[in-house]
Amino acid sequence: MSEAPPAGPSTAPGVDGTAAPDRVFTEAELKAALLPAGAFGTRARVTGTDLGVFGRYGGGDWSQCRAGDDLREELAGFEGASAQQTVRLAPGAEAGRIVTVRLVSMPAGRTERYLEIRRRLHETCPDVAVDTEAAPVREHHEAREIPDLGDEALLEISRVTGGDEYDGSPAYAVGVRVGGVVAIVSAARDRGTCVSLAARAAGRVRSELYRADS
């Protein structure tokens, strides 16, 4: 999948700035705003759609980083309605060609704080040890801002090294905020697809939830 131009900046809530910042959306509304199957390519197939309460989501195991304890505790306190789709980009695709797109609704101030906490956690704990049943491994974390995508967007890059099964290959996830909605896209090792789908998800949130024309 080619990388789509990032969706332009938003002034959501309301895109025009008129909607209440505490407005939230239901699981049904978020489900309706998920990307259509065609947005993933002609051979893609949606394999699952899940609704539920959003809690701490992904991003590695920072439990051995004592400097990040307060940040992890705050991160665990975020909660909101969510809808997630899992997509296989091509028939018979390996794990690297499976992506997830999740929409989460919280008051706008909470979504803004959520991305700030994730950014700070990456900065505070860029390299952590993780105990496994086999040999110990290390997780390496980096976060970069993506300009001109939604109200703000964060690209998370993680690598795992150690043992025989980890080669340090990067995995990517993007969190893009449009007002009080965060679209979280995970595309394993495909950075271009991750950013492209995040841009499309942000545009979809603008048009379907905030009813913006562009």
Side-chain angles (χ1 to χ4, degrees), residues 185-208:
V185 180
S186 176
R189 299 180 180 182
D190 193 334
R191 175 174 176 168
T193 292
C194 201
V195 175
S196 173
L197 289 176
R200 295 176 186 183
R204 180 84 171 170
V205 168
R206 283 171 51 86
S207 63
E208 298 300 313

Side-chain angles (χ1 to χ4, degrees), residues 29-167:
E29 289 173 318
L30 295 172
K31 179 182 178 181
L34 289 169
L35 289 169
F40 299 92
T42 57
R43 303 179 67 202
R45 182 168 63 90
V46 177
T47 61
T49 302
D50 301 295
L51 307 181
V53 176
F54 170 83
R56 182 191 182 280
Y57 179 74
D61 180 357
W62 282 290
S63 61
Q64 300 302 312
C65 177
R66 300 298 297 273
D69 284 352
D70 290 344
L71 296 172
R72 289 192 302 108
E73 182 177 355
E74 184 174 353
L75 188 66
F78 285 89
E79 187 174 286
S82 75
Q84 176 178 293
Q85 59 192 154
T86 303
V87 181
R88 188 180 296 274
L89 295 183
E94 298 178 353
R97 300 298 290 167
I98 295 176
V99 302
T100 61
V101 178
R102 187 168 193 168
L103 302 182
V104 181
S105 175
M106 294 181 283
R110 293 292 284 165
T111 57
E112 186 175 3
R113 180 62 177 169
Y114 172 78
L115 286 184
E116 173 62 20
I117 290 298
R118 292 203 67 88
R119 181 184 299 107
R120 290 179 56 193
L121 193 53
H122 279 73
E123 294 170 351
T124 302
C125 303
D127 185 71
V128 295
V130 179
D131 291 330
T132 67
E133 294 181 358
V137 301
R138 301 197 70 84
E139 290 185 349
H140 311 271
H141 299 278
E142 181 182 358
R144 302 177 184 175
E145 294 187 18
I146 304 175
D148 300 325
L149 179 53
D151 289 315
E152 59 180 324
L154 193 68
L155 170 67
E156 300 184 9
I157 306 168
S158 62
R159 298 182 296 109
V160 181
T161 57
D164 297 327
E165 55 183 310
Y166 302 105
D167 61 3

